[in-house]
Amino acid sequence: MFFRDHAGIYIHIPFCDHKCIYCDFYSIITSDNIQAYLKALKKEIDYYAEKYQNRNNYVSVFFGGGTPSLMEPKYLGEILDHLHKRFSIKQSAEITMETNPGTVNREKFREFRHAGINRVSVGIQSFDKKELEFLTRIHDAETAKSAVYDAYMAGIENLSLDLIFNLPGQTSEIWLKTLSEAVNLPVKHISAYSLILERGTILNKMVLKGEIDLQGEEIDADLYEKTIGFLGDYGFEQYEVSNFAKPGYECVHNSIYWQAKEYHGFGTSAHSYFDGKRRWNVSSLKFYIDAVNEKGHAIIGEEELTFDERKEEYRYLYLRHTGLNIREYDELFSEDFMTKNEPLVLELINHGLAEYDGVTLQMTGKGYAVCDEIIARIE
Ligand code: SF4
């Protein structure tokens, strides 16, 4: 079986304080059903534990959402205790919680740490007042900074920030100011995503009605290039198209996704990949709870990748991440990458888009910017 050496666990917490205009994640505003949801999560964990509890390669747990930091720390603690009872999670595992500033304080972070959280990813998006208002975030820049310091002072030093660039009207001056604020905080990891217009979001409707103009690709490319240069100057090494870390602080959990390794997803709308199959759960909270109570799981779809799809996905993920080890790729897929792609590889190297050390083909900062176009040309 492919890609078995490390595995991760994702737990979806669907509850939010309100709906941000750009968000297409499954989230709900009421917290009425928290107890029923926790019960169903434990039941779903039990269902899979029967099958996978003998594996001892779980290296990460990721609480995503929604807003996991809205929960009382004891609830996340209960889920973690349950996972530890039913799965062999490594002592050194990375346990991340996505956090929304405005839902936490220092004491609450202390409790999360005691519950087992050792990494916090703070969804800040911007430090600019107008941009935060536009995104309908519940916090201002000062609250966001306080959240980071509170987590740090509570003893969680593995801290990450999420930021969004190419917002409507954003100049490079505004974006670089946000980046400067970010690097001045005690954080080890920064994710910087270009604004994506997702179908079904409030933002999408505003754009369709002509209420908002999005900025074009040229500005996007310029802001992206500036991001790579700026964060590189401050010691944040790019290790994926949108992710930058101080050495040793690359996200273990997301690297599982980017290295085509296996993960279980528990909760509403959670996705999994194991035994060569992708599976996904129902989104609705009510349907999820009913399904788990009835069957032990809430899967509503699954697909098995063909050999060619696995091959394409493998090179796509690795080239967007830490580079493609050509020997490993050839062995896994009985391929001869260089014979098929040597002219392209030489072209990429000559144009400063990729580097090749005889083992790994890796994008440069310039290459990451056009990574998808490059990958589409690979045979
Ligand atoms: S807080 Fe996060 S998950 Fe909730 S609506 Fe906003 S962006 Fe979406």
Side-chain angles (χ1 to χ4, degrees):
M1 187 58 63
F2 283 160
F3 324 136
R4 257 293 163 73
D5 48 345
H6 280 158
I9 291 173
Y10 174 81
I11 307 278
H12 192 76
I13 303 291
F15 307 104
C16 275
D17 193 78
H18 82 301
K19 192 76 190 170
C20 303
I21 58 163
Y22 58 96
C23 176
D24 74 329
F25 295 116
Y26 177 69
S27 61
I28 45 175
I29 311 306
T30 165
S31 53
D32 287 352
N33 289 308
I34 285 183
Q35 290 304 334
Y37 187 62
L38 292 174
K39 217 169 137 201
L41 271 176
K42 288 182 199 161
K43 216 167 172 177
E44 193 192 8
I45 289 165
D46 289 341
Y47 178 85
Y48 287 103
E50 298 295 326
K51 209 169 161 194
Y52 297 99
Q53 63 191 348
N54 294 330
R55 290 195 194 169
N56 61 357
N57 58 355
Y58 294 95
V59 293
S60 70
V61 177
F62 194 103
F63 289 94
T67 308
S69 57
L70 258 187
M71 302 283 275
E72 285 186 39
K74 67 178 179 194
Y75 294 152
L76 296 198
E78 276 176 29
I79 297 295
L80 272 175
D81 289 348
H82 199 70
L83 282 171
H84 279 291
K85 267 188 226 144
R86 304 307 314 264
F87 284 89
S88 295
I89 297 168
K90 289 201 182 293
Q91 199 69 34
S92 58
E94 175 192 273
I95 316 281
T96 302
M97 174 182 70
E98 284 186 338
T99 296
N100 208 356
T103 61
V104 274
N105 55 41
R106 195 170 302 182
E107 185 49 35
K108 198 171 175 188
F109 273 126
R110 270 197 200 105
E111 291 174 34
F112 279 125
R113 188 168 70 84
H114 287 136
I117 302 295
N118 58 28
R119 182 174 185 272
V120 162
S121 170
V122 193
I124 288 179
Q125 319 314 350
S126 171
F127 287 102
D128 182 82
K129 187 173 183 291
K130 281 195 184 136
E131 288 182 352
L132 286 170
E133 284 167 5
F134 167 74
L135 291 168
T136 62
R137 301 292 295 173
I138 58 168
H139 57 86
D140 58 19
E142 286 314 308
T143 312
K145 286 183 214 166
S146 298
V148 173
Y149 281 116
D150 283 341
Y152 185 75
M153 295 308 286
I156 302 171
E157 55 98 40
N158 193 350
L159 287 166
S160 176
L161 300 186
D162 277 1
L163 301 172
I164 300 178
F165 65 91
N166 204 19
L167 291 165
Q170 188 180 63
T171 59
S172 51
E173 199 186 349
I174 295 173
W175 173 235
L176 288 174
K177 197 158 175 283
T178 279
L179 287 178
S180 325
E181 301 269 18
V183 297
N184 281 325
L185 292 168
V187 297
K188 301 290 197 295
H189 186 282
I190 294 176
S191 301
Y193 299 98
S194 170
L195 179 68
I196 295 175
L197 197 57
E198 302 284 2
R199 284 174 64 187
T201 58
I202 301 165
L203 179 61
N204 193 31
K205 287 183 192 129
M206 291 163 84
V207 171
L208 289 174
K209 279 194 211 158
E211 292 169 9
I212 286 184
D213 284 332
L214 295 181
Q215 303 199 124
E217 279 177 21
E218 262 178 43
I219 296 177
D220 188 66
D222 178 55
L223 294 172
Y224 181 64
E225 202 183 314
K226 288 198 163 79
T227 307
I228 296 170
F230 188 91
L231 292 180
D233 289 347
Y234 282 86
F236 289 86
E237 292 175 8
Q238 185 172 25
Y239 72 104
E240 199 267 345
V241 172
S242 307
N243 286 275
F244 305 81
K246 296 270 174 80
Y249 286 92
E250 297 81 8
C251 178
V252 173
H253 187 80
N254 286 339
S255 294
I256 283 172
Y257 301 149
W258 300 327
Q259 292 171 354
K261 293 193 166 125
E262 294 186 323
Y263 52 92
H264 297 283
F266 299 118
T268 50
S269 74
H271 282 58
S272 303
Y273 177 50
F274 52 92
D275 294 341
K277 283 187 183 169
R278 287 187 190 136
R279 298 176 172 89
W280 50 96
N281 280 354
V282 66
S283 290
S284 146
L285 183 73
K286 181 184 175 330
F287 289 162
Y288 169 81
I289 292 172
D290 289 349
V292 172
N293 284 337
E294 191 186 318
K295 302 178 284 187
H297 69 83
I299 296 168
I300 50 153
E302 67 173 37
E303 64 181 359
E304 186 156 10
L305 299 187
T306 63
F307 183 82
D308 282 346
E309 284 170 340
R310 281 185 185 183
K311 187 169 69 176
E312 277 167 32
E313 182 175 87
Y314 187 91
R315 62 190 191 218
Y316 172 82
L317 290 168
Y318 275 85
L319 283 169
R320 288 173 62 91
H321 185 215
T322 45
L324 185 70
N325 181 315
I326 304 295
R327 204 174 310 143
E328 272 179 20
Y329 172 80
D330 284 350
E331 272 172 27
L332 268 173
F333 299 103
S334 307
E335 269 289 349
D336 190 349
F337 184 90
M338 274 308 178
T339 302
K340 285 186 177 172
N341 295 289
E342 196 171 345
L344 174 63
V345 170
L346 290 174
E347 181 193 321
L348 297 177
I349 294 168
N350 288 338
H351 287 89
L353 295 167
E355 287 167 355
Y356 180 57
D357 61 3
V359 180
T360 303
L361 178 67
Q362 181 163 19
M363 295 296 142
T364 58
K366 212 171 141 190
Y368 276 126
V370 285
C371 201
D372 290 354
E373 289 92 320
I374 293 171
I375 293 166
R377 293 177 58 198
I378 290 174
E379 290 178 37

